[in-house]
Amino acid sequence: MGVRPAVTCRRTRRGYPLPVNPPVTPPTTPAPRSRARMLELVFPKDTNYHGTAFGGWVLALMYKAASVAAVRHAGGNVVTARMDAVDFHVPIRVGEAVALDARVIKVGRTSMTVQVDVYREDMKSGEQQLATNGLFVFVAVDEHGKPTPVPPLTDGDGEVDHDPEARP
């Protein structure tokens, strides 16, 4: 048996010891520059009378994920220019998880196109199926609301990761 390190403690009102050693700050890591992932659960409040997710609720999740990816890539404020080509493939049912993967796939001088894939996930089996996908276009703006240049895509940005283990 090893020797336990001494921990300086003080007692609470109920007599339980509390460590007084300074907390250890965990290291930070950079977020993906041109990507965002989210996971949501589908509750009855998010569904219609068929027990499937409201399309508008799914669109709101897609917009949120796309916005995060665009802001990360631009490194600042963005505004929505367009929502395009949203396709609903299969219904998402109450009790399932919704996994979203948003990634910048194309950049112009000031604009970015973000693709969002939405997977429905059976929580028991862990199996995912593409349920919805769509494209969103954002424009980067400065503090005065004027369009501002965005950085180019770098190697690996915007690539589709077909590995199911890499999905959200």
Side-chain angles (χ1 to χ4, degrees):
M1 297 187 101
V3 177
R4 287 186 168 180
V7 176
T8 307
C9 295
R10 63 180 174 83
R11 299 246 178 226
T12 64
R13 286 191 312 178
R14 294 196 172 135
Y16 299 111
L18 290 176
V20 291
N21 293 348
V24 176
T25 304
T28 60
T29 58
R33 186 174 132 196
S34 304
R35 193 170 199 163
R37 292 178 172 177
M38 294 174 39
L39 187 66
E40 290 279 337
L41 298 177
V42 181
F43 291 103
K45 70 175 181 58
D46 306 317
T47 63
N48 56 31
Y49 63 92
H50 296 292
T52 61
F54 284 119
W57 179 76
V58 175
L59 282 173
L61 293 175
M62 293 173 74
Y63 179 72
K64 188 185 296 185
S67 297
V68 171
V71 167
R72 283 179 172 173
H73 183 81
N77 294 331
V78 299
V79 294
T80 309
R82 181 178 183 160
M83 288 177 53
D84 196 17
V86 175
D87 296 310
F88 294 88
H89 306 289
V90 295
I92 303 169
R93 305 204 178 282
V94 69
E96 292 181 324
V98 179
L100 297 99
D101 185 13
R103 63 198 170 283
V104 177
I105 60 168
K106 180 180 172 187
V107 296
R109 192 178 74 77
T110 63
S111 66
M112 297 154 284
T113 301
V114 180
Q115 180 174 332
V116 181
D117 293 328
V118 179
Y119 298 89
R120 71 178 188 177
E121 179 180 326
D122 181 299
M123 297 288 286
K124 294 175 193 149
S125 70
E127 290 197 10
Q128 292 184 341
Q129 180 181 20
L130 182 65
T132 307
N133 61 346
L135 298 174
F136 297 77
V137 178
F138 294 89
V139 174
V141 293
D142 63 17
E143 61 275 358
H144 304 293
K146 302 292 183 202
T148 187
V150 295
L153 286 173
T154 59
D155 289 341
D157 287 346
E159 290 181 2
V160 178
D161 200 339
H162 294 288
D163 179 10
E165 293 296 318
R167 289 192 202 140

